Amino acid sequence: MTDAVGSIDMPDAEDAAPESKKKGRKGGKRGKKGPLGRIALFYRQIIAELRKVVWPTRSQLTSYTTVVIVFVVVMIGLVTVIDFGFQEAVKYVFG
């Protein structure tokens, strides 16, 4: 029984290649460059990744910022109320 890749009984030609003929990787791009070349490669990779980013529109950024500010204000209020409650409880217990 065979399919497009091969069969269960007979491995593909690529898989049947002896391990001794395969060459190992010896550093790739980094192995051939000095420290400055590696730094330049690092920054090129950073720029390439930043180009892949989907940046928000101005209206999305405004709405996200508004949500964060409202959330922070609500959390500040909650912590303030809890802190005041603990303060009053400590005054009641200790004096």
Side-chain angles (χ1 to χ4, degrees):
M1 176 188 290
T2 61
D3 56 10
V5 177
S7 71
I8 296 172
D9 299 329
M10 297 175 55
D12 295 337
E14 184 179 58
D15 294 336
E19 292 294 324
S20 62
K21 290 186 179 180
K22 291 184 180 180
K23 292 184 179 179
R25 186 172 165 184
K26 295 184 178 180
K29 291 180 182 178
R30 290 187 214 147
K32 299 176 183 174
K33 297 182 181 178
L36 293 177
R38 287 193 300 248
I39 291 172
L41 174 64
F42 177 70
Y43 282 111
R44 280 196 306 271
Q45 289 173 344
I46 289 173
I47 298 299
E49 288 298 321
L50 285 175
R51 287 185 180 148
K52 295 178 189 177
V53 173
V54 178
W55 297 99
T57 63
R58 184 173 293 274
S59 63
Q60 288 174 330
L61 190 61
T62 304
S63 67
Y64 297 160
T65 304
T66 303
V67 167
V68 168
I69 290 173
V70 167
F71 178 76
V72 168
V73 168
V74 167
M75 291 307 294
I76 288 172
L78 181 65
V79 169
T80 302
V81 168
I82 291 172
D83 185 53
F84 181 74
F86 281 136
Q87 176 185 350
E88 292 301 315
V90 167
K91 280 184 183 177
Y92 178 76
V93 171
F94 294 110

Coordinates of all heavy atoms in Angstrom, one line a residue:
M1 N 0.8 -1.2 0.0 CA 0.0 0.0 0.0 C 0.9 1.2 0.0 O 1.7 1.4 0.9 CB -0.9 0.0 1.3 CG -1.7 1.2 1.4 SD -2.6 1.4 2.9 CE -3.8 0.1 2.7
T2 N 0.7 2.1 -1.0 CA 1.5 3.3 -1.1 C 0.7 4.5 -1.2 O -0.5 4.4 -1.6 CB 2.5 3.2 -2.3 OG1 1.7 3.2 -3.4 CG2 3.4 2.1 -2.2
D3 N 1.2 5.6 -0.8 CA 0.5 6.9 -1.0 C 1.5 7.9 -1.6 O 2.6 7.5 -2.1 CB 0.0 7.5 0.3 CG 1.1 7.6 1.4 OD1 2.3 7.5 1.1 OD2 0.7 7.8 2.5
A4 N 1.2 9.2 -1.7 CA 2.1 10.1 -2.3 C 3.4 10.3 -1.7 O 4.4 10.6 -2.3 CB 1.4 11.5 -2.4
V5 N 3.5 10.0 -0.4 CA 4.8 10.2 0.3 C 5.6 8.9 0.3 O 6.8 9.0 0.1 CB 4.5 10.6 1.8 CG1 5.8 10.7 2.6 CG2 3.7 11.9 1.8
G6 N 5.0 7.8 0.4 CA 5.8 6.5 0.4 C 4.9 5.5 1.1 O 3.7 5.6 1.1
S7 N 5.5 4.4 1.6 CA 4.7 3.4 2.2 C 5.1 3.2 3.7 O 6.2 3.7 4.1 CB 4.8 2.1 1.5 OG 6.1 1.5 1.7
I8 N 4.4 2.5 4.4 CA 4.7 2.2 5.8 C 5.9 1.2 5.8 O 6.8 1.4 6.6 CB 3.5 1.6 6.5 CG1 2.4 2.6 6.6 CG2 3.9 1.1 7.9 CD1 1.1 2.0 7.1
D9 N 6.0 0.3 4.9 CA 7.0 -0.7 4.8 C 8.3 -0.2 4.2 O 9.4 -0.6 4.6 CB 6.6 -1.9 4.0 CG 5.4 -2.6 4.7 OD1 5.3 -2.5 5.9 OD2 4.6 -3.2 4.0
M10 N 8.2 0.7 3.3 CA 9.4 1.2 2.6 C 9.6 2.7 2.8 O 8.7 3.5 2.5 CB 9.3 1.0 1.1 CG 9.2 -0.5 0.7 SD 8.9 -0.7 -1.1 CE 10.2 0.2 -1.8
P11 N 10.6 3.1 3.5 CA 10.8 4.5 3.9 C 11.1 5.3 2.6 O 11.5 4.8 1.6 CB 11.9 4.6 4.8 CG 12.7 3.3 4.6 CD 11.7 2.3 4.1
D12 N 10.9 6.6 2.7 CA 11.2 7.5 1.6 C 12.7 7.5 1.3 O 13.5 7.2 2.2 CB 10.8 9.0 1.9 CG 9.3 9.1 2.0 OD1 8.6 8.2 1.5 OD2 8.8 10.0 2.7
A13 N 13.1 7.9 0.2 CA 14.5 8.0 -0.2 C 15.3 8.9 0.7 O 16.4 8.7 1.1 CB 14.7 8.4 -1.6
E14 N 14.6 10.0 1.1 CA 15.3 11.0 2.0 C 15.6 10.4 3.4 O 16.6 10.6 4.0 CB 14.4 12.3 2.1 CG 15.1 13.4 2.9 CD 14.1 14.6 2.9 OE1 13.0 14.4 3.4 OE2 14.6 15.6 2.5
D15 N 14.6 9.7 3.8 CA 14.8 9.1 5.2 C 15.8 7.9 5.1 O 16.4 7.6 6.2 CB 13.4 8.5 5.7 CG 12.4 9.7 5.9 OD1 12.9 10.8 6.2 OD2 11.2 9.4 5.9
A16 N 15.9 7.3 4.0 CA 16.8 6.1 3.9 C 18.3 6.5 3.8 O 19.2 5.7 3.8 CB 16.4 5.2 2.7
A17 N 18.6 7.8 3.6 CA 20.0 8.3 3.5 C 20.7 8.0 4.8 O 20.2 8.2 5.8 CB 20.0 9.7 3.2
P18 N 22.0 7.5 4.6 CA 22.8 7.2 5.8 C 23.1 8.5 6.6 O 23.2 9.6 6.0 CB 24.0 6.6 5.3 CG 24.0 6.7 3.8 CD 22.7 7.1 3.4
E19 N 23.2 8.4 7.9 CA 23.4 9.6 8.7 C 24.8 10.2 8.4 O 25.0 11.4 8.7 CB 23.3 9.2 10.2 CG 21.9 8.9 10.6 CD 20.9 10.1 10.5 OE1 21.3 11.2 10.8 OE2 19.8 9.9 10.2
S20 N 25.7 9.4 8.0 CA 27.1 9.9 7.8 C 27.2 10.9 6.7 O 28.1 11.7 6.6 CB 28.1 8.8 7.5 OG 27.7 8.1 6.4
K21 N 26.3 10.9 5.7 CA 26.3 11.8 4.6 C 25.7 13.2 4.9 O 25.9 14.1 4.2 CB 25.6 11.2 3.4 CG 26.4 10.1 2.8 CD 25.7 9.6 1.5 CE 26.5 8.4 0.9 NZ 25.9 8.0 -0.3
K22 N 24.9 13.3 6.0 CA 24.3 14.5 6.3 C 25.3 15.5 7.0 O 26.0 15.0 7.8 CB 23.1 14.3 7.2 CG 22.0 13.6 6.6 CD 20.8 13.5 7.5 CE 19.6 12.8 6.8 NZ 18.5 12.7 7.7
K23 N 25.3 16.7 6.5 CA 26.3 17.6 7.1 C 25.6 18.4 8.3 O 24.5 18.8 8.1 CB 26.7 18.7 6.1 CG 27.6 18.0 5.0 CD 28.1 19.1 4.0 CE 29.0 18.4 3.0 NZ 29.5 19.4 2.1
G24 N 26.3 18.6 9.3 CA 25.8 19.3 10.5 C 25.9 20.8 10.2 O 26.8 21.2 9.5
R25 N 25.1 21.6 10.9 CA 25.2 23.0 10.8 C 26.3 23.5 11.7 O 26.3 23.1 12.9 CB 23.8 23.6 11.1 CG 23.8 25.1 10.9 CD 22.4 25.5 11.1 NE 22.4 27.0 11.3 CZ 21.3 27.7 11.5 NH1 20.2 27.1 11.6 NH2 21.4 29.0 11.6
K26 N 27.1 24.4 11.2 CA 28.2 24.9 12.1 C 28.1 26.4 12.3 O 29.0 27.1 12.0 CB 29.6 24.6 11.4 CG 29.9 23.1 11.3 CD 31.2 22.9 10.8 CE 31.6 21.4 10.7 NZ 32.9 21.2 10.2
G27 N 27.0 26.8 12.9 CA 26.8 28.2 13.2 C 26.0 29.0 12.3 O 25.4 30.0 12.7
G28 N 25.8 28.6 11.1 CA 24.9 29.3 10.2 C 25.4 30.8 10.0 O 26.5 31.0 9.8
K29 N 24.4 31.7 10.0 CA 24.8 33.1 9.8 C 25.6 33.7 10.9 O 26.5 34.5 10.7 CB 23.5 33.9 9.7 CG 22.6 33.7 8.5 CD 21.4 34.5 8.6 CE 20.5 34.3 7.4 NZ 19.3 35.0 7.5
R30 N 25.4 33.2 12.1 CA 26.2 33.8 13.3 C 27.6 33.3 13.3 O 28.5 34.0 13.8 CB 25.5 33.4 14.6 CG 24.2 34.1 14.8 CD 23.7 33.8 16.1 NE 22.2 33.7 16.1 CZ 21.5 33.0 16.8 NH1 22.0 32.2 17.7 NH2 20.2 33.0 16.7
G31 N 27.9 32.1 12.8 CA 29.2 31.6 12.8 C 30.2 32.3 11.9 O 31.4 32.3 12.2
K32 N 29.7 33.0 10.9 CA 30.6 33.7 10.0 C 30.8 35.2 10.2 O 31.6 35.8 9.5 CB 30.0 33.5 8.6 CG 29.9 32.1 8.2 CD 29.2 31.9 6.8 CE 29.0 30.5 6.4 NZ 28.2 30.3 5.2
K33 N 30.2 35.7 11.2 CA 30.3 37.2 11.5 C 30.9 37.4 12.8 O 30.8 36.6 13.7 CB 28.9 37.8 11.4 CG 28.3 37.7 10.0 CD 26.9 38.3 10.0 CE 26.3 38.2 8.6 NZ 25.0 38.7 8.5
G34 N 31.5 38.6 12.9 CA 32.1 39.0 14.2 C 31.0 39.6 15.1 O 29.8 39.6 14.8
P35 N 31.4 40.2 16.2 CA 30.5 40.8 17.2 C 29.6 41.9 16.5 O 28.4 42.0 16.8 CB 31.3 41.3 18.3 CG 32.7 40.7 18.1 CD 32.8 40.2 16.7
L36 N 30.2 42.7 15.7 CA 29.5 43.8 15.1 C 28.5 43.3 14.1 O 27.4 43.8 14.0 CB 30.4 44.8 14.4 CG 31.3 45.6 15.4 CD1 32.2 46.5 14.6 CD2 30.4 46.4 16.4
G37 N 28.8 42.2 13.4 CA 27.9 41.6 12.4 C 26.7 41.0 13.1 O 25.6 41.0 12.6
R38 N 27.0 40.4 14.3 CA 25.9 39.8 15.0 C 25.0 40.8 15.6 O 23.7 40.6 15.6 CB 26.4 38.9 16.2 CG 27.1 37.6 15.7 CD 27.3 36.7 16.8 NE 28.2 37.2 17.8 CZ 29.5 36.8 18.0 NH1 29.9 35.8 17.3 NH2 30.2 37.3 18.9
I39 N 25.5 42.0 16.0 CA 24.7 43.1 16.5 C 23.8 43.6 15.4 O 22.6 43.9 15.5 CB 25.5 44.2 17.2 CG1 26.1 43.6 18.5 CG2 24.7 45.4 17.4 CD1 27.2 44.6 19.1
A40 N 24.4 43.8 14.2 CA 23.7 44.3 13.0 C 22.6 43.3 12.6 O 21.5 43.7 12.3 CB 24.6 44.5 11.8
L41 N 22.9 42.0 12.7 CA 21.9 41.0 12.4 C 20.7 41.1 13.4 O 19.5 41.0 13.0 CB 22.5 39.6 12.4 CG 21.5 38.4 12.3 CD1 20.8 38.5 10.9 CD2 22.2 37.1 12.5
F42 N 21.0 41.3 14.7 CA 20.0 41.4 15.7 C 19.1 42.6 15.4 O 17.9 42.4 15.5 CB 20.7 41.6 17.1 CG 19.8 41.8 18.2 CD1 19.0 40.7 18.7 CD2 19.7 43.0 18.8 CE1 18.1 40.9 19.7 CE2 18.9 43.2 19.9 CZ 18.1 42.2 20.4
Y43 N 19.6 43.7 15.1 CA 18.8 44.9 14.8 C 18.0 44.7 13.5 O 16.9 45.2 13.5 CB 19.7 46.2 14.8 CG 20.0 46.6 16.2 CD1 21.3 46.6 16.7 CD2 19.0 47.1 17.0 CE1 21.6 47.0 18.0 CE2 19.3 47.5 18.3 CZ 20.6 47.4 18.8 OH 20.9 47.8 20.1
R44 N 18.6 44.1 12.5 CA 17.8 43.8 11.3 C 16.6 42.9 11.6 O 15.5 43.1 11.1 CB 18.7 43.1 10.2 CG 19.5 44.1 9.5 CD 20.1 43.6 8.2 NE 20.8 42.3 8.4 CZ 22.1 42.2 8.7 NH1 22.8 43.3 8.8 NH2 22.7 41.0 8.8
Q45 N 16.8 41.9 12.5 CA 15.7 41.0 12.9 C 14.7 41.8 13.7 O 13.5 41.5 13.5 CB 16.3 39.9 13.7 CG 17.0 38.9 12.9 CD 17.7 37.8 13.7 OE1 17.8 37.9 14.9 NE2 18.2 36.8 13.0
I46 N 15.1 42.7 14.5 CA 14.1 43.5 15.3 C 13.2 44.3 14.3 O 12.0 44.4 14.5 CB 14.8 44.5 16.3 CG1 15.4 43.7 17.4 CG2 13.9 45.6 16.8 CD1 16.3 44.5 18.3
I47 N 13.9 45.0 13.3 CA 13.1 45.8 12.4 C 12.2 44.9 11.6 O 11.0 45.3 11.3 CB 14.1 46.5 11.4 CG1 15.0 47.5 12.2 CG2 13.3 47.2 10.3 CD1 14.2 48.6 12.9
A48 N 12.6 43.7 11.2 CA 11.7 42.8 10.5 C 10.5 42.4 11.3 O 9.4 42.3 10.8 CB 12.5 41.6 10.0
E49 N 10.7 42.1 12.6 CA 9.6 41.8 13.4 C 8.6 42.9 13.7 O 7.4 42.8 13.7 CB 10.1 41.3 14.8 CG 10.7 39.9 14.7 CD 9.8 38.8 14.3 OE1 8.6 38.8 14.7 OE2 10.2 37.9 13.5
L50 N 9.2 44.2 13.8 CA 8.3 45.3 14.0 C 7.5 45.6 12.7 O 6.4 46.1 12.9 CB 9.2 46.6 14.3 CG 9.7 46.6 15.8 CD1 10.6 47.8 16.0 CD2 8.5 46.6 16.8
R51 N 8.0 45.2 11.6 CA 7.2 45.4 10.4 C 6.0 44.5 10.3 O 5.0 44.7 9.6 CB 8.0 45.2 9.1 CG 9.0 46.4 8.9 CD 9.7 46.3 7.6 NE 10.6 47.4 7.5 CZ 11.8 47.4 6.9 NH1 12.2 46.3 6.4 NH2 12.5 48.5 6.9
K52 N 6.1 43.3 11.0 CA 5.0 42.4 11.1 C 3.9 42.8 12.0 O 2.8 42.2 12.0 CB 5.5 41.0 11.5 CG 6.5 40.4 10.5 CD 7.0 39.0 11.1 CE 8.1 38.5 10.3 NZ 8.6 37.2 10.9
V53 N 4.1 43.7 12.9 CA 3.2 44.1 13.9 C 2.0 44.8 13.3 O 2.1 45.7 12.4 CB 3.8 45.0 15.0 CG1 2.8 45.6 16.0 CG2 4.9 44.3 15.7
V54 N 0.8 44.5 13.8 CA -0.4 45.2 13.3 C -0.7 46.3 14.3 O -1.1 46.1 15.5 CB -1.6 44.2 13.3 CG1 -2.9 45.0 12.8 CG2 -1.4 43.1 12.3
W55 N -0.4 47.5 13.9 CA -0.5 48.7 14.8 C -1.9 49.1 14.9 O -2.7 49.1 13.9 CB 0.4 49.8 14.3 CG 1.8 49.5 14.3 CD1 2.6 49.0 13.2 CD2 2.7 49.4 15.4 NE1 3.9 48.8 13.6 CE2 4.0 49.0 14.9 CE3 2.6 49.7 16.7 CZ2 5.1 48.9 15.8 CZ3 3.7 49.6 17.6 CH2 4.9 49.2 17.1
P56 N -2.4 49.6 16.1 CA -3.8 50.0 16.2 C -4.0 51.4 15.5 O -3.1 52.2 15.4 CB -4.0 50.1 17.7 CG -2.6 50.3 18.3 CD -1.7 49.6 17.3
T57 N -5.2 51.6 15.1 CA -5.6 52.9 14.6 C -5.7 53.9 15.7 O -5.7 53.6 16.9 CB -6.9 52.9 13.8 OG1 -7.9 52.5 14.7 CG2 -6.8 51.8 12.7
R58 N -5.8 55.2 15.3 CA -5.9 56.2 16.4 C -7.1 56.0 17.2 O -7.1 56.2 18.5 CB -5.9 57.6 15.7 CG -5.9 58.7 16.7 CD -5.7 60.1 16.1 NE -4.4 60.3 15.5 CZ -3.3 60.7 16.1 NH1 -3.4 61.0 17.4 NH2 -2.2 60.8 15.5
S59 N -8.3 55.7 16.6 CA -9.5 55.5 17.4 C -9.4 54.3 18.3 O -9.9 54.3 19.5 CB -10.7 55.4 16.5 OG -10.6 54.2 15.7
Q60 N -8.8 53.2 17.8 CA -8.6 52.1 18.7 C -7.7 52.4 19.9 O -7.9 52.0 21.0 CB -7.9 50.9 17.9 CG -8.9 50.2 16.9 CD -8.1 49.2 16.1 OE1 -6.9 49.3 15.8 NE2 -8.9 48.2 15.7
L61 N -6.6 53.1 19.6 CA -5.7 53.5 20.6 C -6.3 54.4 21.7 O -6.1 54.2 22.9 CB -4.5 54.3 20.0 CG -3.3 54.5 20.9 CD1 -2.7 53.2 21.4 CD2 -2.2 55.3 20.2
T62 N -7.2 55.3 21.2 CA -7.9 56.2 22.1 C -8.9 55.4 23.0 O -8.9 55.6 24.2 CB -8.7 57.2 21.4 OG1 -7.8 58.0 20.5 CG2 -9.5 58.2 22.3
S63 N -9.6 54.4 22.4 CA -10.5 53.6 23.2 C -9.8 52.7 24.2 O -10.2 52.6 25.3 CB -11.5 52.8 22.3 OG -10.7 51.8 21.6
Y64 N -8.7 52.1 23.8 CA -7.9 51.3 24.7 C -7.3 52.1 25.9 O -7.4 51.7 27.0 CB -6.7 50.6 24.0 CG -7.1 49.7 22.9 CD1 -6.2 49.3 21.9 CD2 -8.3 49.1 22.8 CE1 -6.5 48.4 20.9 CE2 -8.7 48.2 21.8 CZ -7.7 47.9 20.8 OH -8.0 47.0 19.8
T65 N -6.9 53.3 25.6 CA -6.3 54.2 26.6 C -7.4 54.6 27.6 O -7.2 54.6 28.8 CB -5.7 55.4 26.0 OG1 -4.7 55.0 25.0 CG2 -5.1 56.3 27.0
T66 N -8.6 54.9 27.1 CA -9.7 55.3 27.9 C -10.1 54.1 28.8 O -10.3 54.3 30.0 CB -10.9 55.7 27.1 OG1 -10.5 56.7 26.2 CG2 -12.1 56.1 27.9
V67 N -10.2 52.9 28.3 CA -10.5 51.7 29.1 C -9.5 51.5 30.2 O -9.9 51.2 31.4 CB -10.6 50.5 28.2 CG1 -10.7 49.2 29.0 CG2 -11.8 50.6 27.3
V68 N -8.2 51.6 29.9 CA -7.2 51.4 30.9 C -7.3 52.5 32.0 O -7.2 52.2 33.2 CB -5.8 51.5 30.2 CG1 -4.7 51.5 31.3 CG2 -5.6 50.2 29.4
I69 N -7.5 53.8 31.6 CA -7.6 54.8 32.6 C -8.8 54.6 33.5 O -8.7 54.8 34.8 CB -7.6 56.2 31.9 CG1 -6.2 56.5 31.4 CG2 -8.0 57.3 32.9 CD1 -6.1 57.7 30.5
V70 N -9.9 54.3 32.9 CA -11.1 54.0 33.7 C -10.9 52.8 34.7 O -11.3 52.9 35.9 CB -12.4 53.8 32.8 CG1 -13.5 53.2 33.6 CG2 -12.7 55.1 32.1
F71 N -10.3 51.8 34.2 CA -10.0 50.6 35.0 C -9.1 51.0 36.2 O -9.3 50.6 37.4 CB -9.4 49.5 34.2 CG -9.0 48.3 35.0 CD1 -10.0 47.4 35.4 CD2 -7.7 48.1 35.4 CE1 -9.6 46.3 36.2 CE2 -7.3 47.0 36.1 CZ -8.3 46.1 36.5
V72 N -8.1 51.8 35.9 CA -7.1 52.2 37.0 C -7.8 53.0 38.0 O -7.6 52.9 39.3 CB -5.9 52.9 36.4 CG1 -5.1 53.6 37.5 CG2 -5.0 51.9 35.6
V73 N -8.7 54.0 37.6 CA -9.4 54.8 38.5 C -10.4 54.0 39.4 O -10.5 54.2 40.6 CB -10.2 55.9 37.8 CG1 -11.2 56.6 38.7 CG2 -9.2 56.9 37.2
V74 N -11.0 53.0 38.8 CA -11.9 52.1 39.6 C -11.1 51.3 40.6 O -11.6 51.2 41.8 CB -12.7 51.2 38.6 CG1 -13.4 50.1 39.4 CG2 -13.7 52.0 37.8
M75 N -10.0 50.8 40.2 CA -9.2 50.0 41.1 C -8.6 50.9 42.3 O -8.6 50.5 43.4 CB -8.0 49.3 40.4 CG -8.5 48.2 39.5 SD -9.5 47.0 40.2 CE -8.4 46.3 41.4
I76 N -8.3 52.1 41.9 CA -7.8 53.1 43.0 C -8.9 53.3 44.0 O -8.7 53.3 45.2 CB -7.3 54.4 42.4 CG1 -6.0 54.2 41.7 CG2 -7.2 55.5 43.4 CD1 -5.5 55.4 40.9
G77 N -10.1 53.5 43.5 CA -11.3 53.7 44.4 C -11.6 52.5 45.2 O -11.8 52.6 46.5
L78 N -11.5 51.3 44.7 CA -11.7 50.1 45.4 C -10.7 49.9 46.5 O -11.0 49.6 47.7 CB -11.7 48.9 44.5 CG -11.9 47.5 45.1 CD1 -13.3 47.4 45.6 CD2 -11.7 46.4 44.0
V79 N -9.4 50.1 46.2 CA -8.3 50.0 47.2 C -8.5 51.0 48.3 O -8.3 50.7 49.5 CB -6.9 50.0 46.5 CG1 -5.8 50.2 47.5 CG2 -6.7 48.8 45.6
T80 N -8.9 52.2 47.9 CA -9.1 53.3 48.9 C -10.2 52.9 49.9 O -10.1 53.1 51.1 CB -9.4 54.6 48.2 OG1 -8.4 54.9 47.3 CG2 -9.7 55.7 49.2
V81 N -11.3 52.4 49.4 CA -12.4 52.0 50.2 C -12.0 50.8 51.1 O -12.3 50.9 52.4 CB -13.7 51.6 49.4 CG1 -14.7 50.9 50.2 CG2 -14.2 52.8 48.7
I82 N -11.3 49.8 50.6 CA -10.9 48.7 51.4 C -9.9 49.2 52.5 O -9.9 48.8 53.7 CB -10.2 47.6 50.6 CG1 -11.3 47.0 49.7 CG2 -9.5 46.6 51.4 CD1 -10.8 46.0 48.7
D83 N -9.0 50.1 52.1 CA -8.0 50.7 53.1 C -8.7 51.4 54.2 O -8.3 51.3 55.4 CB -7.0 51.6 52.3 CG -5.9 52.1 53.2 OD1 -5.2 51.2 53.9 OD2 -5.7 53.3 53.3
F84 N -9.7 52.2 53.8 CA -10.4 53.0 54.8 C -11.1 52.0 55.8 O -11.2 52.2 57.0 CB -11.4 53.9 54.1 CG -12.2 54.8 55.1 CD1 -11.6 55.8 55.8 CD2 -13.5 54.5 55.4 CE1 -12.3 56.6 56.7 CE2 -14.3 55.2 56.3 CZ -13.7 56.3 56.9
G85 N -11.7 51.0 55.2 CA -12.4 50.0 56.1 C -11.4 49.3 57.0 O -11.8 49.1 58.2
F86 N -10.2 48.9 56.6 CA -9.2 48.3 57.5 C -8.8 49.3 58.5 O -8.6 49.0 59.7 CB -8.0 47.8 56.7 CG -8.3 46.5 56.0 CD1 -7.8 46.3 54.7 CD2 -8.9 45.4 56.7 CE1 -8.0 45.1 54.1 CE2 -9.1 44.2 56.1 CZ -8.7 44.0 54.8
Q87 N -8.7 50.6 58.1 CA -8.3 51.6 59.1 C -9.3 51.8 60.2 O -8.9 51.8 61.4 CB -8.1 53.0 58.4 CG -7.7 54.1 59.3 CD -7.7 55.4 58.5 OE1 -7.8 55.4 57.3 NE2 -7.6 56.5 59.2
E88 N -10.5 51.8 59.8 CA -11.6 51.9 60.8 C -11.7 50.7 61.7 O -11.9 50.7 62.9 CB -12.9 52.2 60.2 CG -13.0 53.5 59.5 CD -12.8 54.7 60.5 OE1 -13.4 54.6 61.6 OE2 -12.1 55.6 60.1
A89 N -11.4 49.5 61.1 CA -11.4 48.2 61.9 C -10.3 48.2 62.9 O -10.5 47.8 64.1 CB -11.4 47.0 61.0
V90 N -9.1 48.7 62.5 CA -8.0 48.7 63.4 C -8.2 49.7 64.5 O -7.9 49.5 65.7 CB -6.7 49.0 62.6 CG1 -5.5 49.4 63.6 CG2 -6.3 47.9 61.7
K91 N -8.8 50.9 64.2 CA -9.1 51.9 65.2 C -10.1 51.3 66.2 O -10.0 51.6 67.4 CB -9.7 53.1 64.6 CG -8.7 54.1 64.0 CD -9.4 55.3 63.5 CE -8.4 56.2 62.8 NZ -9.1 57.4 62.2
Y92 N -11.1 50.5 65.8 CA -12.1 50.0 66.6 C -11.5 48.9 67.6 O -11.8 48.9 68.8 CB -13.3 49.4 65.8 CG -14.3 48.7 66.6 CD1 -15.3 49.4 67.3 CD2 -14.4 47.3 66.7 CE1 -16.3 48.8 68.1 CE2 -15.3 46.7 67.5 CZ -16.3 47.4 68.2 OH -17.2 46.8 68.9
V93 N -10.6 48.0 67.0 CA -10.0 47.0 67.8 C -9.0 47.5 68.8 O -9.0 47.1 69.9 CB -9.4 45.9 66.8 CG1 -8.6 44.9 67.6 CG2 -10.5 45.2 66.0
F94 N -8.1 48.4 68.3 CA -7.0 48.8 69.2 C -7.2 50.1 69.9 O -6.4 50.6 70.6 CB -5.7 48.8 68.4 CG -5.3 47.5 67.9 CD1 -5.4 47.1 66.6 CD2 -4.8 46.5 68.8 CE1 -5.0 45.9 66.1 CE2 -4.4 45.3 68.4 CZ -4.5 44.9 67.0
G95 N -8.3 50.8 69.6 CA -8.4 51.9 70.4 C -8.9 53.2 69.9 O -8.9 54.2 70.4

